[in-house]
Amino acid sequence: MSVQGIDQLLGQLQAMSAKAAGQSTPAAEATGGADFAGLLKSSLDQVSQMQQSAQAQQAAFQAGAPEADLQDVMVSLQKASLSFQTMVQVRNKLVSAYQEVMNMQV
């Protein structure tokens, strides 16, 4: 995931947070509102694609491919790890929010 991808993910998370708080964001209004499930699925797909790409680069390096550079492999593995950790934290926040809503008295 490039810096642009991380910025995009951060923007999506901020838009979702503002929407959950009842605030309207210009980005959400321009797109006609954001589908939470769609945004979450696309983020998960990006993380999955990044991990698969990093594993492919790692396998190419281990096989001795001349185009596989150790620095590029390590950077892609770190990016994949960071994006996975970010998604785990998002999941933890979603579970926490769900538990909080379920514990509310109506």
Side-chain angles (χ1 to χ4, degrees):
M1 181 179 271
S2 65
V3 174
Q4 180 184 12
I6 293 172
D7 289 340
Q8 180 184 12
L9 179 62
L10 182 60
Q12 290 172 352
L13 290 173
Q14 289 172 342
M16 285 186 268
S17 174
K19 187 173 182 180
Q23 301 171 353
S24 179
T25 60
E29 291 174 357
T31 61
D35 177 27
F36 180 76
L39 289 174
L40 190 59
K41 182 173 179 357
S42 69
S43 297
L44 288 171
D45 290 340
Q46 286 178 351
V47 170
S48 176
Q49 187 272 332
M50 184 171 293
Q51 287 180 329
Q52 290 172 355
S53 173
Q55 289 173 352
Q57 287 182 351
Q58 180 183 16
F61 180 76
Q62 288 174 343
E67 70 276 354
D69 186 32
L70 178 61
Q71 290 85 5
D72 292 338
V73 172
M74 293 304 294
V75 167
S76 67
L77 287 169
Q78 286 297 319
K79 285 181 179 180
S81 175
L82 182 61
S83 65
F84 180 74
Q85 290 173 6
T86 302
M87 287 308 298
V88 167
Q89 291 301 318
V90 169
R91 185 219 39 169
N92 291 344
K93 291 290 184 179
L94 289 172
V95 169
S96 175
Y98 174 78
Q99 289 174 343
E100 188 175 324
V101 167
M102 294 308 292
N103 288 332
M104 286 182 181
Q105 294 180 352
V106 182

